[in-house]
Amino acid sequence: MIFGRRTIRPDGPDRFVIHLGTQERAVLRAVCQDLLSVLDDDEDSPSLKRLFPKAHAVDPRIDAAYQEMVHEDLLRSRKEALAAVADSAERPELDRDTLEQWMVGLNSVRLVLGTVLDVSEDEFPELSELSEDDPMLPAWAVYDFLGGVVDAAVRALAETLPDLA
């Protein structure tokens, strides 16, 4: 395993304890800061296409109208989430709102990495299947790691939901 074990556990209904190592926290902060820089400097980068998907594949007028309505809000909310992760990466505990921001911010990074790695539902390699010489191994490792953190956040939040049964 390239990254250590990651867990997030509830400590009451709106507090969550974050168990990540120093290196893992540094990775969270760095990838979010990197994506914030790209969003500030090169919003037209092809690697961002999954962050701002087309609303209509055939009619460019419909897509343009949709983008005009939602693009700025999407951009703002993604930047806020990325900044929240970068700013709170060192904290041992998070409140519910911040943990929800982690899910949005880290998923945004995964979307960009998924574009760079050309991830598809049909083909998704296990890290153990990749050669140590593969130049994309670090990106795959970060993609996998972020998926684990997002999964841990979802599970921790789900534990605090009221039982509807």
Side-chain angles (χ1 to χ4, degrees):
M1 181 181 292
I2 295 174
F3 290 100
R5 187 169 170 209
R6 57 235 174 225
T7 61
I8 299 172
R9 66 173 177 75
D11 186 25
D14 293 316
R15 302 290 311 161
F16 300 87
V17 178
I18 310 299
H19 294 283
L20 293 171
T22 304
Q23 290 178 329
E24 287 87 357
R25 291 171 183 277
V27 167
L28 293 181
R29 187 176 49 258
V31 296
C32 289
Q33 289 171 335
D34 288 348
L35 183 50
L36 274 169
S37 293
V38 172
L39 290 172
D40 286 339
D41 298 337
D42 190 11
E43 198 180 313
D44 296 324
S45 170
S47 66
L48 301 179
K49 71 180 181 182
R50 290 183 185 175
L51 283 182
F52 308 107
K54 291 191 176 291
H56 201 282
V58 179
D59 190 334
R61 291 177 300 136
I62 292 173
D63 183 58
Y66 171 78
Q67 295 300 333
E68 186 176 327
M69 282 190 322
V70 303
H71 182 80
E72 288 304 315
D73 285 340
L74 271 176
L75 178 62
R76 179 190 44 73
S77 67
R78 293 193 191 278
K79 283 182 172 183
E80 286 174 0
L82 291 164
V85 177
D87 292 343
S88 63
E90 300 300 323
R91 291 188 203 156
E93 289 187 9
L94 300 175
D95 61 29
R96 176 177 296 281
D97 291 339
T98 305
L99 186 57
E100 289 172 355
Q101 290 283 65
W102 274 41
M103 289 190 318
V104 172
L106 298 178
N107 193 57
S108 295
V109 175
R110 289 188 85 238
L111 287 169
V112 173
L113 278 173
T115 300
V116 170
L117 294 168
D118 198 25
V119 171
S120 72
E121 289 183 30
D122 300 331
E123 201 174 308
F124 187 83
E126 293 291 326
L127 286 179
S128 60
E129 297 171 359
L130 298 173
S131 165
E132 289 183 20
D133 299 351
D134 187 329
M136 297 307 286
L137 180 60
W140 280 109
V142 170
Y143 183 83
D144 181 67
F145 164 65
L146 295 177
V149 175
V150 170
D151 180 66
V154 168
R155 290 174 187 272
L157 287 163
E159 285 183 42
T160 65
L161 294 176
D163 188 10
L164 299 177

